[in-house]
Structure formats: C-alpha cells, structure tokens
Amino acid sequence: VKKACKWFINNNKPVYEAWCYALIGSNYYKNNNNDSACSFFTKSLNTYKKADFIDSLAVIYDRLATCLYYKGSFRFAKINYTIGLLYPAPVNNKASLLNGLAISY
C-alpha cells in the first residue's frame, strides 16, 4: 500500500493518496498501534483538504477521533468528532460521530 501511495504522490493523484493514507491508518488501528494510525489519518485529512475533496472528511475525522479516544486524548477526540459533524456524510457516519462524541464526554 505504501508503494501505491508513492505512485499516487508522484502522479499527482491526491484523492487516491489520501485514501491510501486512510487505509494504512486503518491497518495500524486494527493492530492497536494508535500513534501511527493517528499520524496516517491526519495525513489523509490534510491531503483531502488540500485536494478540496470534502466527501470523505467526516469519515476520516471519525477515524482520527476514535484513534485519539483510544489513546486517552478525550479532549482532542471530542474536537475531531465535532468537526466531523460539520461535513456532509451518510446518516450512519453521522451516527458514528455522534456516538463517539457522547462516549468521549
């Protein structure tokens, strides 16, 4: 996956680059490596924003906030859940953001 990300970077495909970062972050998260997961989710967010692609931001904010929650950074988790709610997303993603926000409190 990291090789694919490099290819997307070199070929100026930022949306796919951001997707790669999110995929890598998800793999780290599944293996309980929250520091690396948060780092890749942050890279994904920044790349999506730079590409002005808002369709996936709510989902990535949810993943980042969940990662922060499990690291014990409840304040930052709440902030990211709240920011995620500002972006368009399907109902199930909005519900996930609201659930995470409630649990963080």
Side-chain angles (χ1 to χ4, degrees):
V1 175
K2 289 181 182 180
K3 285 182 182 181
C5 285
K6 277 188 176 184
W7 188 89
F8 291 131
I9 291 167
N10 293 334
N11 290 285
N12 197 26
K13 306 282 186 193
V15 173
Y16 295 110
E17 175 188 344
W19 176 80
C20 277
Y21 292 145
L23 185 61
I24 294 168
S26 294
N27 285 328
Y28 278 121
Y29 175 77
K30 288 176 187 175
N31 290 308
N32 295 319
N33 188 338
N34 289 317
D35 290 330
S36 294
C38 285
S39 174
F40 277 97
F41 290 141
T42 301
K43 280 184 178 186
S44 180
L45 275 176
N46 292 335
T47 306
Y48 275 131
K49 286 179 183 179
K50 194 164 71 172
D52 202 27
F53 188 80
I54 63 168
D55 291 352
S56 298
L57 289 179
V59 173
I60 303 301
Y61 270 110
D62 186 30
R63 291 179 184 176
L64 175 60
T66 301
C67 179
L68 290 165
Y69 172 84
Y70 282 111
K71 284 180 58 173
S73 300
F74 304 116
R75 180 174 170 252
F76 293 112
K78 288 186 279 189
I79 290 168
N80 282 281
Y81 283 126
T82 303
I83 294 171
L85 288 167
L86 300 174
Y87 292 97
V91 173
N92 61 331
N93 291 113
K94 291 289 186 180
S96 179
L97 286 160
L98 289 167
N99 256 351
L101 183 60
I103 291 168
S104 294
Y105 274 99

